[in-house]
Amino acid sequence: AQKVTQAQTEISVVEKEDVTLDCVYETRDTTYYLFWYKQPPSGELVFLIRRNSFDEQNEISGRYSWNFQKSTSSFNFTITASQVVDSAVYFCALSEAYGGSSYKLIFGSGTRLLVRP
Amino acid sequence: GAVVSQHPSWVICKSGTSVKIECRSLDFQATTMFWYRQFPKQSLMLMATSNEGSKATYEQGVEKDKFLINHASLTLSTLTVTSAHPEDSSFYICSARDWTSGSSYNEQFFGPGTRLTVL
């Protein structure tokens, strides 16, 4: 069975601090996709990144970076120099690569990030 | 970019009434759409997978007769909450897969969500 665990329920930091959101996943598939989404108070999901299981390269996009480690089944997300606008709920998600289940997404429970001025 | 809309964005209804929520892919064809439910401060839980022209596949524990899903065209799927009760109050989000993008992974695009409040 597929499962995504985000152990951090809520994180509070002061603006300009770096913060890492943890994501641990379980799957029997050898090929799969991992995602991060941001959900601001408005509720609309904002896509941040998709990572193929064969691509373990870390990725950086501006203040955002992702660390994918298959050995520990983790896909952690770091925000550098956090800003108040980063306050949101962040979801990690997993999807199988072959459409046996139509690529349905399995979401973690989410981490609520509060960035204080 | 691919856009998915939902209508209405919010709805308040009386207990016992039925509510229909529409999910539309505005600039692409979506053979598969997904319906999620999100209770306050909780994660998104997949309710059902909707394939155009066929019956929806419901997740375990989701009542088919209560949550009617119709995917009659490549751009529209509807979720009808029948005989709604206060416990059905939730945030309902749809997503759609774009088969025509040509990418190796067919992206899933999310709608803005519909907040349902049942009094």
Coordinates of all heavy atoms in Angstrom, one line a residue, chain B residues 45-87:
Chain B
M45 N -8.7 13.9 0.8 CA -8.9 12.4 0.7 C -9.6 12.2 -0.7 O -10.7 12.8 -1.0 CB -9.8 12.0 1.8 CG -9.2 12.1 3.2 SD -7.7 11.3 3.4 CE -8.2 9.6 3.2
L46 N -9.1 11.3 -1.4 CA -9.7 11.0 -2.7 C -11.1 10.3 -2.5 O -11.1 9.3 -1.8 CB -8.8 10.1 -3.5 CG -9.3 9.7 -4.9 CD1 -9.4 10.9 -5.8 CD2 -8.4 8.6 -5.5
M47 N -12.1 10.8 -3.2 CA -13.4 10.2 -3.1 C -13.6 9.2 -4.2 O -14.1 8.1 -4.0 CB -14.5 11.3 -3.1 CG -14.4 12.3 -2.0 SD -15.6 13.6 -2.2 CE -17.1 12.7 -2.0
A48 N -13.3 9.7 -5.4 CA -13.6 8.9 -6.6 C -12.8 9.4 -7.8 O -12.3 10.5 -7.9 CB -15.1 9.0 -6.9
T49 N -12.6 8.4 -8.7 CA -12.0 8.7 -10.0 C -13.0 8.6 -11.1 O -13.8 7.6 -11.1 CB -10.9 7.7 -10.3 OG1 -9.9 7.7 -9.2 CG2 -10.2 8.0 -11.6
S50 N -13.1 9.6 -11.9 CA -14.2 9.7 -12.9 C -13.6 9.6 -14.3 O -12.7 10.5 -14.6 CB -14.9 11.1 -12.7 OG -15.7 11.4 -13.8
N51 N -14.0 8.7 -15.0 CA -13.5 8.5 -16.4 C -14.6 8.9 -17.4 O -15.8 8.4 -17.2 CB -13.0 7.1 -16.7 CG -11.7 6.8 -15.9 OD1 -10.7 7.5 -16.2 ND2 -11.8 5.9 -15.0
E52 N -14.3 9.6 -18.4 CA -15.3 10.1 -19.3 C -16.0 8.9 -20.0 O -15.4 8.0 -20.5 CB -14.6 11.0 -20.4 CG -15.6 11.6 -21.4 CD -15.7 10.8 -22.7 OE1 -14.8 10.1 -23.0 OE2 -16.7 11.0 -23.3
G53 N -17.3 9.0 -19.9 CA -18.1 8.0 -20.6 C -18.3 6.7 -19.8 O -19.0 5.7 -20.3
S54 N -17.8 6.6 -18.6 CA -17.9 5.3 -17.9 C -18.3 5.7 -16.4 O -18.2 6.8 -16.0 CB -16.7 4.4 -17.9 OG -15.6 5.1 -17.4
K55 N -18.6 4.6 -15.7 CA -18.9 4.9 -14.2 C -17.7 5.2 -13.4 O -16.6 4.8 -13.7 CB -19.6 3.6 -13.7 CG -21.0 3.3 -14.2 CD -21.5 2.0 -13.5 CE -22.9 1.8 -14.1 NZ -23.5 0.5 -13.4
A56 N -18.0 6.0 -12.4 CA -16.9 6.4 -11.6 C -16.4 5.3 -10.7 O -17.2 4.4 -10.4 CB -17.3 7.6 -10.7
T57 N -15.2 5.3 -10.3 CA -14.6 4.4 -9.4 C -14.5 5.0 -8.0 O -13.8 6.0 -7.9 CB -13.2 3.9 -9.8 OG1 -13.4 3.3 -11.1 CG2 -12.7 2.8 -8.8
Y58 N -15.2 4.5 -7.0 CA -15.2 5.1 -5.7 C -14.2 4.5 -4.8 O -14.0 3.3 -4.8 CB -16.6 5.0 -5.1 CG -17.7 5.9 -5.8 CD1 -18.3 5.4 -7.0 CD2 -18.0 7.1 -5.3 CE1 -19.2 6.2 -7.6 CE2 -19.0 7.9 -5.9 CZ -19.6 7.4 -7.1 OH -20.5 8.2 -7.7
E59 N -13.7 5.3 -3.9 CA -12.8 4.8 -2.9 C -13.6 4.1 -1.8 O -14.8 4.4 -1.6 CB -11.9 5.9 -2.3 CG -11.0 6.6 -3.3 CD -10.0 5.6 -3.9 OE1 -9.2 5.1 -3.1 OE2 -9.9 5.4 -5.1
Q60 N -12.9 3.3 -1.1 CA -13.5 2.5 0.0 C -14.1 3.5 1.0 O -13.4 4.4 1.4 CB -12.5 1.6 0.6 CG -13.1 0.5 1.5 CD -12.0 -0.5 2.0 OE1 -10.8 -0.3 1.8 NE2 -12.5 -1.5 2.6
G61 N -15.3 3.2 1.4 CA -16.0 4.0 2.4 C -16.7 5.2 1.9 O -17.4 5.9 2.6
V62 N -16.7 5.5 0.6 CA -17.4 6.6 0.0 C -18.7 6.0 -0.6 O -18.7 5.1 -1.4 CB -16.6 7.3 -1.1 CG1 -17.4 8.4 -1.8 CG2 -15.3 7.8 -0.6
E63 N -19.8 6.6 -0.2 CA -21.1 6.1 -0.6 C -21.5 6.5 -2.1 O -21.6 7.7 -2.3 CB -22.2 6.6 0.3 CG -22.1 6.1 1.8 CD -23.1 6.8 2.6 OE1 -24.3 6.6 2.4 OE2 -22.7 7.5 3.6
K64 N -21.6 5.5 -2.9 CA -21.9 5.8 -4.3 C -23.2 6.5 -4.5 O -23.4 7.4 -5.3 CB -21.9 4.5 -5.1 CG -20.7 3.7 -5.1 CD -20.9 2.5 -6.0 CE -19.6 1.6 -5.8 NZ -19.8 0.4 -6.7
D65 N -24.2 6.1 -3.7 CA -25.6 6.7 -3.9 C -25.7 8.1 -3.3 O -26.6 8.8 -3.6 CB -26.6 5.7 -3.3 CG -26.6 4.4 -3.9 OD1 -26.3 4.3 -5.1 OD2 -27.0 3.4 -3.3
K66 N -24.8 8.4 -2.5 CA -24.8 9.7 -1.8 C -24.0 10.7 -2.7 O -24.4 11.9 -2.8 CB -24.2 9.7 -0.4 CG -24.3 11.0 0.3 CD -24.1 10.9 1.7 CE -24.3 12.2 2.4 NZ -25.7 12.7 2.2
F67 N -22.9 10.3 -3.2 CA -22.1 11.2 -4.0 C -22.1 10.7 -5.4 O -21.3 9.8 -5.8 CB -20.6 11.2 -3.4 CG -20.5 11.7 -2.0 CD1 -20.4 10.8 -1.0 CD2 -20.6 13.0 -1.7 CE1 -20.4 11.2 0.3 CE2 -20.5 13.5 -0.4 CZ -20.4 12.6 0.6
L68 N -23.0 11.3 -6.2 CA -23.2 10.9 -7.6 C -22.2 11.6 -8.5 O -22.2 12.9 -8.5 CB -24.6 11.1 -8.0 CG -25.7 10.4 -7.2 CD1 -27.1 10.8 -7.7 CD2 -25.5 8.9 -7.2
I69 N -21.5 10.9 -9.3 CA -20.5 11.5 -10.2 C -20.9 11.2 -11.6 O -21.1 10.0 -11.9 CB -19.1 11.0 -9.8 CG1 -18.7 11.6 -8.5 CG2 -18.1 11.5 -10.9 CD1 -17.4 11.1 -7.9
N70 N -20.9 12.2 -12.4 CA -21.2 12.1 -13.8 C -20.1 12.8 -14.6 O -19.7 13.9 -14.4 CB -22.5 12.7 -14.2 CG -22.9 12.5 -15.6 OD1 -22.4 13.2 -16.5 ND2 -23.8 11.6 -15.9
H71 N -19.5 12.0 -15.6 CA -18.4 12.6 -16.4 C -18.8 12.4 -17.9 O -18.3 11.5 -18.6 CB -17.1 11.9 -16.1 CG -15.9 12.5 -16.7 ND1 -14.6 12.2 -16.2 CD2 -15.7 13.4 -17.6 CE1 -13.8 12.9 -16.9 NE2 -14.4 13.6 -17.7
A72 N -19.8 13.2 -18.3 CA -20.4 13.0 -19.6 C -19.6 13.5 -20.8 O -19.9 13.1 -21.9 CB -21.8 13.6 -19.6
S73 N -18.7 14.4 -20.5 CA -17.9 15.0 -21.6 C -16.5 15.1 -21.2 O -16.1 14.9 -20.0 CB -18.4 16.4 -22.0 OG -18.0 17.4 -21.2
L74 N -15.6 15.4 -22.2 CA -14.2 15.5 -21.9 C -13.8 16.7 -21.1 O -12.6 16.9 -20.8 CB -13.4 15.4 -23.2 CG -13.3 14.1 -23.9 CD1 -12.7 14.2 -25.3 CD2 -12.5 13.1 -23.0
T75 N -14.7 17.6 -20.9 CA -14.4 18.8 -20.2 C -15.2 19.1 -18.9 O -15.1 20.1 -18.3 CB -14.5 20.0 -21.1 OG1 -15.9 20.1 -21.6 CG2 -13.6 20.0 -22.3
L76 N -16.1 18.1 -18.6 CA -17.0 18.4 -17.5 C -17.3 17.1 -16.7 O -17.6 16.1 -17.2 CB -18.4 18.9 -18.0 CG -19.5 19.1 -17.0 CD1 -19.1 20.1 -15.9 CD2 -20.8 19.5 -17.7
S77 N -17.1 17.3 -15.4 CA -17.5 16.2 -14.5 C -18.3 16.9 -13.4 O -18.1 18.1 -13.0 CB -16.3 15.5 -13.8 OG -16.7 14.6 -12.9
T78 N -19.4 16.2 -12.9 CA -20.2 16.8 -11.8 C -20.3 15.9 -10.7 O -20.3 14.6 -10.8 CB -21.6 17.1 -12.3 OG1 -22.2 15.9 -12.8 CG2 -21.6 18.1 -13.4
L79 N -20.3 16.5 -9.5 CA -20.5 15.7 -8.2 C -21.8 16.2 -7.6 O -21.9 17.4 -7.4 CB -19.3 16.0 -7.3 CG -19.5 15.5 -5.8 CD1 -19.5 14.0 -5.7 CD2 -18.3 16.1 -5.0
T80 N -22.7 15.3 -7.4 CA -23.9 15.7 -6.7 C -24.0 15.1 -5.4 O -23.9 13.8 -5.2 CB -25.2 15.3 -7.5 OG1 -25.1 15.9 -8.8 CG2 -26.5 15.7 -6.9
V81 N -24.1 15.9 -4.4 CA -24.2 15.4 -3.0 C -25.7 15.3 -2.7 O -26.4 16.3 -2.7 CB -23.6 16.4 -2.0 CG1 -23.7 15.8 -0.6 CG2 -22.1 16.6 -2.3
T82 N -26.2 14.1 -2.6 CA -27.7 13.9 -2.5 C -28.1 13.9 -1.0 O -27.3 13.4 -0.2 CB -28.1 12.6 -3.1 OG1 -27.5 11.5 -2.5 CG2 -27.8 12.6 -4.6
S83 N -29.2 14.4 -0.7 CA -29.7 14.5 0.7 C -28.6 14.9 1.6 O -28.2 14.1 2.5 CB -30.3 13.1 1.0 OG -30.9 13.2 2.3
A84 N -28.1 16.0 1.4 CA -26.9 16.5 2.2 C -27.3 16.7 3.7 O -28.4 17.1 4.0 CB -26.4 17.8 1.6
H85 N -26.3 16.4 4.5 CA -26.4 16.5 5.9 C -25.3 17.3 6.4 O -24.2 17.5 5.7 CB -26.5 15.2 6.6 CG -27.8 14.5 6.4 ND1 -28.0 13.5 5.4 CD2 -29.0 14.6 7.0 CE1 -29.2 13.1 5.5 NE2 -29.9 13.7 6.4
P86 N -25.4 17.9 7.6 CA -24.3 18.8 8.1 C -22.9 18.1 8.1 O -21.9 18.7 7.9 CB -24.7 19.0 9.6 CG -26.2 19.1 9.5 CD -26.6 18.0 8.5
E87 N -22.9 16.8 8.3 CA -21.6 16.1 8.3 C -20.9 16.0 6.9 O -19.8 15.7 6.7 CB -21.7 14.7 8.8 CG -22.7 13.8 8.1 CD -24.1 13.8 8.8 OE1 -24.4 14.9 9.4 OE2 -24.8 12.8 8.7

